[in-house]
Amino acid sequence: MSQLLEKIDKGSLPRHIAIIMDGNGRWAKEKGEDRLFGHYHGVESVRNIVEGCAELGIEYLTLYAFSTENWDRPEYEVAGLMELLVSTIRKEVETLNKNKIRLHVIGDMSMFPDFAKNELNEALEITKANTGLNLVMALSYSGRWELANAAKEIAREVKEENLNVEDINQKTVQQFLCTANFPDPELMIRTSGEFRISNFLLYQLAYAELYFTNVRWPDFRKENLYQAIVDFQGRERRFGKTGEQIAETNKAH
Ligand code: IPE
Ligand code: IPE
Ligand code: MG
């Protein structure tokens, strides 16, 4: 067993880990290859990390695979990513089922070409009764899109007189996010040395611990995940309180 894995306290795992899978393009360029080559190899990391999370008993894993802004990339790259997405889902859905993994998608599905939408919907349907790891794919997703969308839906509820303006609070907002049924991520990992959020889960990351690594996504493996979890477990999460208050509550438990 890996030494890092042994260091992980199984009793205080994050319930939800979110990852910005970055660096595929640079990984490929460094090898003198086309960006799409990096995306293909990124799929191997997805497999490995999904497996790693399932083995640990993580409840939710959200993977940022394609942002709203990524639609503006060169046409060939967007087309290549769509095909990769569809072929990967087709290939992997059986394995997901075997491992009791339930697939979810967050994002603006209406932007997707029909062939991709159909494949995704089929996979959602096939895995919907699974009770193991919830694998949440953020596709055509952006935090600002999600918040604007929530505002629109809340306004509709008010207009249809299902909701009073005075009753709108944080819980209401949360209920209209794509992640309404998921807990907020406690740990957010970004690969490839970029220190930004890039429109990912803007609302949900309010109190997440952020972990950045220089490792490019196609090189990211279980060991790197364990390292992030060990780091996470060494932090003190204060939620606005003082360190002394946190120590008191920890003593009480
Ligand atoms: C992440 O890798 C995958 C997607 C955004 C689809 P990038 O393609 O952003 O790789 P870099 O950041 O250019 O190296
Ligand atoms: C964020 O990565 C989106 C995904 C990983 C899917 P980008 O590579 O698109 O982010 P920026 O452009 O460097 O901020
Ligand atoms: Mg990038």
Side-chain angles (χ1 to χ4, degrees), residues 20-29 35 38-39 64-67 70 73 77 81 190-192 194 196 216-218:
I20 302 180
M21 309 184 290
D22 199 17
N24 295 351
R26 277 164 284 172
W27 184 88
K29 286 274 164 222
R35 296 178 56 83
H39 296 316
Y64 201 10
F66 195 82
S67 72
N70 290 148
R73 290 196 177 185
E77 184 172 346
L81 279 166
R190 182 171 190 151
T191 59
S192 205
E194 236 62 77
R196 54 177 173 262
R216 306 247 186 264
W217 178 251

Side-chain angles (χ1 to χ4, degrees), residues 27-56:
W27 184 88
K29 286 274 164 222
E30 283 154 11
K31 296 189 153 36
E33 300 280 350
D34 184 81
R35 296 178 56 83
L36 282 177
F37 183 75
H39 296 316
Y40 288 120
H41 282 271
V43 174
E44 200 43 56
S45 303
V46 171
R47 262 192 220 106
N48 190 270
I49 295 311
V50 168
E51 192 180 273
C53 284
E55 285 164 358
L56 280 171

Side-chain angles (χ1 to χ4, degrees), residues 1-238:
M1 205 198 286
S2 95
Q3 281 187 331
L4 275 170
L5 184 54
E6 280 172 47
K7 274 200 203 156
I8 293 177
D9 172 6
K10 301 293 183 326
S12 65
L13 287 167
R15 290 184 69 195
H16 186 171
I17 298 177
I19 306 182
I20 302 180
M21 309 184 290
D22 199 17
N24 295 351
R26 277 164 284 172
W27 184 88
K29 286 274 164 222
E30 283 154 11
K31 296 189 153 36
E33 300 280 350
D34 184 81
R35 296 178 56 83
L36 282 177
F37 183 75
H39 296 316
Y40 288 120
H41 282 271
V43 174
E44 200 43 56
S45 303
V46 171
R47 262 192 220 106
N48 190 270
I49 295 311
V50 168
E51 192 180 273
C53 284
E55 285 164 358
L56 280 171
I58 303 292
E59 292 175 66
Y60 297 86
L61 172 66
T62 297
L63 298 177
Y64 201 10
F66 195 82
S67 72
T68 311
E69 289 74 22
N70 290 148
W71 287 113
D72 293 332
R73 290 196 177 185
E75 214 177 293
Y76 99 96
E77 184 172 346
V78 172
L81 279 166
M82 286 303 123
E83 277 182 32
L84 181 62
L85 174 71
V86 168
S87 64
T88 304
I89 289 194
R90 193 170 295 160
K91 259 192 259 160
E92 297 297 321
V93 77
E94 224 173 280
T95 317
L96 293 181
N97 254 349
K98 216 166 46 208
N99 295 312
K100 301 195 169 55
I101 297 168
R102 178 171 180 186
L103 184 72
H104 305 264
V105 175
I106 56 171
D108 187 0
M109 292 267 277
S110 72
M111 298 277 287
F112 276 91
D114 280 342
F115 77 100
K117 232 183 319 204
N118 295 341
E119 196 68 38
L120 281 168
N121 281 327
E122 214 172 291
L124 294 177
E125 186 62 31
I126 293 173
T127 64
K128 76 172 182 204
N130 292 340
T131 53
L133 173 71
N134 289 284
L135 172 60
V136 184
M137 297 299 295
L139 295 167
S140 190
Y141 173 88
S142 85
R144 288 183 175 180
W145 163 82
E146 178 184 43
L147 289 169
N149 198 53
K152 206 187 289 175
E153 287 186 29
I154 291 170
R156 198 173 289 134
E157 289 297 303
V158 171
K159 191 171 156 207
E160 288 171 7
E161 297 181 354
N162 298 323
L163 186 64
N164 292 321
V165 171
E166 291 72 29
D167 294 337
I168 296 174
N169 54 28
Q170 292 182 29
K171 206 163 167 209
T172 323
V173 176
Q174 204 269 339
Q175 280 165 354
F176 285 91
L177 300 176
C178 304
T179 53
N181 298 319
F182 315 142
D184 287 343
E186 294 98 329
L187 171 60
M188 196 288 287
I189 300 170
R190 182 171 190 151
T191 59
S192 205
E194 236 62 77
F195 298 92
R196 54 177 173 262
I197 300 291
S198 300
N199 224 342
F200 188 41
L201 301 175
L202 294 179
Y203 188 91
Q204 299 87 336
L205 292 178
Y207 271 104
E209 294 298 328
L210 308 182
Y211 179 87
F212 299 96
T213 168
N214 288 330
V215 176
R216 306 247 186 264
W217 178 251
D219 288 330
F220 196 85
R221 289 292 180 276
K222 286 177 196 175
E223 284 294 304
N224 306 99
L225 172 75
Y226 301 155
Q227 181 82 64
I229 296 175
V230 168
D231 188 287
F232 166 82
Q233 292 186 329
R235 300 189 193 184
E236 182 178 59
R237 306 189 70 210
R238 286 192 288 272

